[in-house]
Amino acid sequence: MRVYASLWNADDWATQGGRVKTDWSMAPFTASYRNFNTNACVWSAATSTSSCGGSKTESVNNDQTWQSQQLNANGRNRVRWVQQKYMIYNYCADANRFSQGFSPECKRSRF
């Protein structure tokens, strides 16, 4: 499992519809993660087993609570607050750029 992030010049469309331009004098741009923790199973293709126990079929059916955790009401409200205060661009709301239709994840319930 990996976490990938990228920075790209999208100031002609992703920054409030192009109203906010990239200040290139601030380059190089960096990003970091703070307090990032993961908890995951490690799959062994050689033995077809998971570090969480059992074979692929057993692991899928095994109750791994971390795989099904969801935000509670307070957590959902906190995410909404951050989105409203800090999110500049949401490709799931950009019908002009994606007139052919949104990605499958945009059709899922957000909370």
Side-chain angles (χ1 to χ4, degrees), residues 75-94:
R76 290 189 300 272
N77 288 334
R78 290 178 70 186
V79 169
R80 284 188 196 104
W81 178 85
V82 169
Q83 288 175 331
Q84 290 169 354
K85 189 163 178 66
Y86 296 104
M87 187 165 67
I88 293 175
Y89 177 74
N90 178 359
Y91 68 91
C92 288
D94 192 346

Side-chain angles (χ1 to χ4, degrees), residues 12-14 16-19 89-102:
D12 60 333
W13 58 270
Q16 297 175 353
R19 290 189 301 266
Y89 177 74
N90 178 359
Y91 68 91
C92 288
D94 192 346
N96 291 331
R97 185 164 173 82
F98 298 101
S99 58
Q100 74 283 3
F102 295 114

